[in-house]
Amino acid sequence: MQVRTAGADLEVDGATIVIGVMEGLLPAPGSETMFGGVDVDLLEAAGFEGKTSQTMTVSHPEAKALLLVGLGDEADYDRIRAASGNAVRAARTTRLVTHLAVVGVEGATRAVVEGSVLGGFQFRAYKTNDEKTRVEEVEVIDGDPGELAEALIVADATNMARTWVNTPAKDMSPVAFAQEVTARAGTAGLGFEVWDKDRIETEGLGALLGVAAGSDREPRLVTLTYRPEGSVGRLALVGKGITFDSGGLSLKPSAAMEEMKVDMSGAAAVVAATMAIAGLGLPIEVTTITPLTDNAVGGDATRPGDVLRPVEGPTIEVLNTDAEGRLVLADGLSLARRHDPDLIVDVATLTGAMRVALGDKIAGFFASDREVAAKIAEAAARAGEPFWEMPLHKDYRRMLDSTVADIKNVTSTRYGGAIAAALFLAEYVKDTPWAHLDIAGPAVSRENSGEQVKGGSGVAVRTLVELARAMAGAV
Ligand code: BES
Ligand code: MN
Ligand code: ZN
């Protein structure tokens, strides 16, 4: 999709003109007959009131159509972004001329770009016919060109993460994912290193190997490095990259397994965010680590009761092979620590318990201290992504005490499952400032709404970029 700024005097032939309507701003039926050239009775008859998620197409004398989109009761950044997403899917032309950035709202251009590019995302690689009309061009009236360019980088990166998440596990093996990432790393100005199975063995990543043992497809560990000049800080990102989570020998029931190609959403998010951070040229060093493996059920799969030796930190008694994310992250976090970062952030579709707690639209996060917690909360708020802090309640740590090893990978109760998982990870982070983002709920969008499209959501990409911006002193 092409997105650019334009003045109000441009040619609108063949385009759909988009205007935002706030709830309560329409004249009462009967009081006036016209609103912005539209018959008010017509709007009334169609039930269009300007509520968020409402759209209505009417004819226009010069353009192909006029599309009214609801902004609800406030025209803020979030509503403009959502309205832009709704507009791009409601439009029936390939070109849009949008007036949604006209309102004098901070970040309005960014909201229009994100709404349009994210809301207009389509994943059709596996569809036989590709005839669905889609908006190809968006002209943003009175948009800010600099803001537009930056927002495009972030939105495109988010869509890249979505594409990876949506790709069936058959075609997104650890090897394929590593290839995909390294193919793009060079052009993005990033350094990269890929460890194959032999290297993972010589490095002693026993936890990653323990998960990979059940699969015929080899694991990989990808490290991306962004080293800008004049860097003012160091960020390490770690992403859970389970390319398919069958549960292993602790096999998932069919319904729970259906969606498990998305279990590499954390890895996709940290990689996409790293590329966006580099694209924006933020003066922050970033080291991004993604342990990649299937969690499968082959003849040599790790058995409940087996003990794994991660590269560093507590030995692990695996009692449930479906708690595999924390295992690969244990190795990933230890490696991240070696880079001596100011902050480590891991992103993972880690626990069903988090989804139970916060639902499908809110991600949970844990932080090692108040300062880190504030940074994550503020970054998420600026990004317009719902994140909610969860407690790293130290007293629950003893539920992970193991009889045969230093720690076990599950507790004997399902209560507090997301917290137990976070406390497990904390063992491998030691005293480095750290945040853990559990995106098990919102990694997938289950509806088309605003900037969200059914399928992988790319959640956390925008929050990580905002975090890097803050570390770079750019906000
Ligand atoms: N990948 C799952 C978590 C998940 C669930 C992600 C639903 C997205 C949607 C994770 O590996 C897992 O299976 N966790 C177990 C942990 C349990 C065995 C302690 C879970 O949540 O059931
Ligand atoms: Mn699992
Ligand atoms: Zn998993």
Side-chain angles (χ1 to χ4, degrees):
M1 184 186 290
Q2 300 261 357
V3 187
R4 51 181 171 259
T5 58
D9 53 351
L10 92 168
E11 174 67 53
V12 293
D13 215 23
T16 296
I17 296 177
V18 180
I19 61 169
V21 179
M22 279 175 64
E23 210 174 339
L25 259 184
L26 289 170
S31 64
E32 280 172 56
T33 48
M34 302 297 274
F35 172 79
V38 184
D39 186 333
V40 172
D41 290 338
L42 203 67
L43 299 177
E44 163 76 5
F48 183 85
E49 299 164 305
K51 288 194 192 304
T52 43
S53 89
Q54 284 190 322
T55 61
M56 185 176 166
T57 306
V58 294
S59 64
H60 186 278
E62 289 148 56
K64 182 85 177 178
L66 177 66
L67 176 58
L68 307 170
V69 288
L71 284 169
D73 51 15
E74 207 177 344
D76 58 8
Y77 161 74
D78 285 315
R79 320 274 167 101
I80 295 173
R81 192 187 61 220
S84 301
N86 294 332
V88 88
R89 282 188 306 275
R92 291 290 165 263
T93 60
T94 58
R95 182 173 165 231
L96 280 192
V97 173
T98 175
H99 289 254
L100 281 167
V102 173
V103 276
V105 169
E106 163 95 14
T109 302
R110 176 164 74 110
V112 172
V113 174
E114 289 179 349
S116 308
V117 175
L118 298 175
F121 173 77
Q122 293 183 14
F123 180 72
R124 302 187 63 83
Y126 295 83
K127 295 276 192 191
T128 311
N129 72 44
D130 200 18
E131 281 160 19
K132 206 167 164 192
T133 344
R134 57 174 110 188
V135 172
E136 312 274 357
E137 270 180 284
V138 177
E139 266 131 342
V140 188
I141 303 297
D142 287 352
D144 177 288
E147 193 177 312
L148 182 142
E150 290 198 349
L152 254 184
I153 290 173
V154 181
D156 283 339
T158 306
N159 281 346
M160 184 169 73
R162 289 172 166 188
T163 299
W164 292 338
V165 171
N166 288 343
T167 301
K170 166 94 177 153
D171 295 336
M172 193 49 78
S173 64
V175 169
F177 190 96
Q179 274 168 355
E180 182 71 27
V181 173
T182 53
R184 286 162 195 270
T187 37
L190 302 172
F192 60 87
E193 192 171 319
V194 180
W195 289 358
D196 62 9
K197 186 166 180 229
D198 286 347
R199 182 71 188 271
I200 291 168
E201 272 167 8
T202 47
E203 296 285 345
L205 308 187
L208 172 56
L209 285 169
V211 178
S215 177
D216 288 344
R217 306 203 292 189
E218 280 198 9
R220 288 290 183 270
L221 185 126
V222 179
T223 303
L224 291 176
T225 46
Y226 170 55
R227 298 285 180 267
E229 266 176 45
S231 158
V232 295
R234 296 173 134 169
L235 175 63
L237 302 176
V238 182
K240 171 178 173 181
I242 300 297
T243 42
F244 188 75
D245 183 9
S246 73
L249 289 177
S250 313
L251 198 66
K252 284 184 185 294
S254 316
M257 207 190 295
E258 268 178 28
E259 239 176 29
M260 282 303 130
K261 68 174 182 185
V262 309
D263 215 19
M264 34 60 76
S265 295
V270 296
V271 169
T274 308
M275 293 186 179
I277 291 166
L280 294 171
L282 295 175
I284 284 286
E285 278 188 22
V286 186
T287 303
T288 299
I289 295 169
T290 58
L292 306 167
T293 179
D294 279 339
N295 185 25
V297 294
D300 199 25
T302 292
R303 294 143 285 258
D306 283 353
V307 175
L308 303 178
R309 290 183 189 280
V311 65
E312 246 179 74
T315 57
I316 307 162
E317 183 185 16
V318 178
L319 289 177
N320 188 319
T321 62
D322 197 12
E324 84 297 338
R326 63 197 75 180
L327 303 177
V328 305
L329 289 174
D331 278 335
L333 289 166
S334 294
L335 295 180
R337 231 163 40 79
R338 293 181 181 175
H339 294 270
D340 197 24
D342 301 321
L343 175 64
I344 300 178
V345 182
D346 76 73
V347 185
T349 45
L350 204 62
T351 65
M354 186 59 90
R355 195 170 157 197
V356 170
L358 297 178
D360 282 341
K361 295 190 178 176
I362 305 172
F365 75 91
F366 297 82
S368 57
D369 63 66
R370 296 294 80 218
E371 206 184 313
V372 173
K375 277 187 189 151
I376 300 293
E378 286 161 16
R382 279 196 307 277
E385 293 192 309
F387 272 80
W388 192 257
E389 191 185 2
M390 301 289 288
L392 212 49
H393 191 65
K394 302 284 190 299
D395 182 50
Y396 290 173
R397 164 61 186 83
R398 56 199 160 89
M399 295 199 292
L400 292 166
D401 287 346
S402 160
T403 325
V404 300
D406 298 331
I407 194 170
K408 55 186 184 180
N409 76 330
V410 285
T411 62
S412 53
T413 142
R414 63 195 175 86
Y415 300 115
I419 300 173
L423 288 167
F424 179 98
L425 299 180
E427 294 287 320
Y428 299 89
V429 178
K430 300 188 180 157
D431 48 16
T432 308
W434 161 69
H436 159 55
L437 279 42
D438 190 338
I439 57 167
V444 170
S445 175
R446 280 148 190 105
E447 58 184 28
N448 293 333
S449 162
E451 77 282 12
Q452 295 298 341
V453 174
K454 277 183 199 169
S457 67
V459 67
V461 173
R462 286 182 285 145
T463 294
L464 293 172
V465 171
E466 288 306 320
L467 177 70
R469 257 200 243 272
M471 286 177 74
V475 284

